[in-house]
């Protein structure tokens, strides 16, 4: 068991976490970053053998690597909170405890999956999941790919698929065309985003549409798409779906941080409701990497007791908050998307639980206790969020350990309990 002490502990090495670390380090604080990925960058700057990272990402990674007062612990999963100001983590080889004076939560977000008949067929993945596979070496040469769901991640996924040799035969976006045109017309306020949209905009974009079924024998062969009450079938080899992002709240919830609109609630200085705990990036709400960088910088300076140094970041945050509001208005998910779910649709693939098995439950805990929903390898990270969106259940309180852990790690947790 390794024990570490620091002035500022940062959970997450995405854009917000890297910006927070650099800001706190500039103020002379000793910083530790705890991240469960093998390399820093988070999901948006995910590194890999086939990745050419943006110059901005490389600058942040290099600055963190060269800062003498920043220590990065990669491949480290958060397991529990042994005390009010410490965390227990585990890597593939060891476990450890970090004691901190200030904590900054930069835990990011994950994809929202909406179940539909056939979504567990081989060949069906998340849109971000397919991007991650490609960045780690997957080739799609000659494969026909349908990308479906909602939000700008679909366009980014389409671009990544094309670069990997795949053929994007359709991008199925649930938002109506009028909403997309209004959004695009307002992008003159953010010229970089307008140029990015022009670069990423694919052909075969179908608006106000939804994939309602994936079909195939041993693997995916076709998808059914509904538009304006009509259904058509599209042959394909892969389907990547994603309905936006949901904040990773679990670390904040085990520390008792309050939430607002299913995200961690923060004030203008990125402080949470718990003393000495801050939050930044997509765990406070989705807004893109630019907003995450600004929020992380603010949190880092304030945690280091230098709030006056955050003035420029506060101005940038305001600009990108406006972009985030426009983005979230455009891609809001209507309840009509729920109509595709049938009682036989699989909800929890780990435990083979179907939607009809839990549709009468009143909360996640009830579904978990009665049907083992969420008791498998992913510990409900996918199906819990899907069920909440489908049935309107209240936000569940996470329990420790947050991730499956080795016996010796759990023994260490028991010994460290006050």
């Amino acid at each position: 068991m390794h024990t570490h002490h620091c002035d500022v502990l940062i959970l997450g090495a995405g854009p917000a976490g890297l910006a927070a670390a650099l800001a706190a380090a500039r103020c002379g604080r000793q910083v530790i970053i705890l991240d469960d990925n093998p390399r820093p960058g988070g999901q948006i700057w995910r590194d890999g053998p086939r990745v050419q990272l943006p110059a901005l990402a490389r600058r942040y990674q290099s600055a963190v690597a060269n800062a003498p007062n920043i220590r990065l612990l990669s491949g480290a999963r958060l397991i529990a909170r042994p005390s009010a100001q410490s965390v227990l983590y585990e890597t593939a080889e060891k476990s450890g405890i970090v004691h901190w004076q200030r904590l900054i939560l930069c835990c990011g977000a994950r994809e929202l999956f909406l179940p539909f008949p056939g979504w567990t067929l081989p060949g069906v993945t998340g849109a971000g999941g397919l991007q991650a596979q490609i960045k780690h070496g997957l080739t799609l040469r000659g494969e026909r790919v349908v990308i479906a769901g909602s939000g700008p991640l679909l366009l980014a996924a389409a671009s990544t698929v094309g670069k990997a040799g795949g053929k994007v035969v359709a991008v199925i976006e649930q938002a109506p065309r009028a909403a997309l045109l209004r959004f695009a017309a307002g992008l003159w306020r953010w010229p970089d985003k307008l140029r990015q949209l022009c670069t990423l905009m694919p052909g075969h974009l179908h608006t106000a549409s939804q994939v309602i079924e994936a079909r195939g024998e041993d693997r995916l062969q076709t998808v059914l798409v509904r538009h304006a009450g009509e259904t058509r079938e599209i042959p394909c080899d892969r389907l990547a779906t994603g309905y936006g992002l949901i904040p990773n709240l679990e670390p904040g919830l085990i520390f008792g941080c309050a939430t607002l609109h299913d995200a961690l609630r923060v004030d203008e200085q990125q402080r949470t409701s718990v003393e000495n705990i801050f939050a930044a990036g997509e765990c406070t709400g989705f807004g893109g990497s630019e907003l995450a960088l600004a929020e992380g910088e603010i949190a880092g300076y304030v945690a280091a007791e230098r709030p006056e140094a955050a003035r420029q970041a506060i101005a940038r945050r305001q600009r990108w908050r406006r972009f985030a509001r426009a983005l979230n208005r455009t891609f809001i998910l209507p309840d009509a998307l729920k109509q595709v779910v049938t009682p036989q649709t699989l909800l929890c693939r780990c435990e083979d639980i179907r939607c009809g098995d839990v549709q009468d439950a009143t909360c996640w805990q009830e579904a978990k206790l009665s049907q083992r929903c969420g008791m498998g390898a992913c510990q409900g990270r996918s199906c819990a969020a899907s069920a909440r969106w489908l049935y309107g259940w209240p936000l569940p309180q996470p329990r420790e350990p947050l991730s499956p852990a080795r016996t010796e790690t759990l023994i260490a947790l028991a010994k460290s309990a006050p």
Side-chain angles (χ1 to χ4, degrees), residues 119-309:
W119 73 277
T120 58
L121 276 172
V124 182
T125 64
L130 182 57
Q131 281 190 297
Q133 291 180 60
I134 291 171
K135 291 177 181 180
H136 281 88
L138 177 69
T139 60
L140 302 179
R141 192 170 296 107
E143 294 193 30
R144 301 162 298 173
V145 183
V146 172
I147 299 172
S150 191
L153 179 60
L154 303 188
L155 304 185
S159 176
T160 304
V161 166
K163 293 175 183 176
K167 179 182 180 182
V168 178
V169 295
V171 177
I172 310 300
E173 167 61 61
Q174 67 81 27
R177 182 175 296 272
L180 297 180
L181 291 175
R182 283 194 301 270
F183 176 69
L187 285 181
W188 59 269
R189 300 177 180 87
W190 305 279
D192 288 346
K193 293 297 181 182
L194 181 58
R195 285 191 292 270
Q196 188 178 31
L197 177 65
C198 294
T199 302
L200 294 178
M201 184 58 70
H204 311 292
L205 175 63
H206 305 269
T207 59
S209 302
Q210 178 187 9
V211 168
I212 61 173
E213 186 178 350
R215 292 179 172 178
E217 296 299 327
D218 297 326
R219 64 172 291 112
L220 178 70
Q221 294 175 317
T222 64
V223 297
L224 291 185
V225 176
R226 182 172 60 199
H227 170 74
E230 297 183 357
T231 301
R232 69 188 186 98
E233 194 166 12
I234 302 177
C236 61
D237 304 299
R238 290 184 183 269
L239 167 65
T241 69
Y243 284 87
L245 300 174
I246 50 173
N248 290 322
L249 300 178
E250 293 81 4
L253 292 177
I254 66 168
F255 280 98
C257 299
T259 61
L260 179 66
H261 305 311
D262 287 348
L264 294 179
R265 191 184 77 201
V266 293
D267 64 11
E268 289 302 302
Q269 293 189 318
Q270 302 299 137
R271 298 179 185 272
T272 70
S273 60
V274 178
E275 187 178 4
N276 296 325
I277 299 182
F278 303 77
E282 290 172 347
C283 61
T284 67
F286 176 63
S289 60
E290 296 87 356
L291 179 59
L293 288 169
E295 290 180 346
E297 187 174 333
I298 295 165
Y301 280 129
V302 176
E305 300 178 309
R306 287 281 305 280
E308 70 281 357

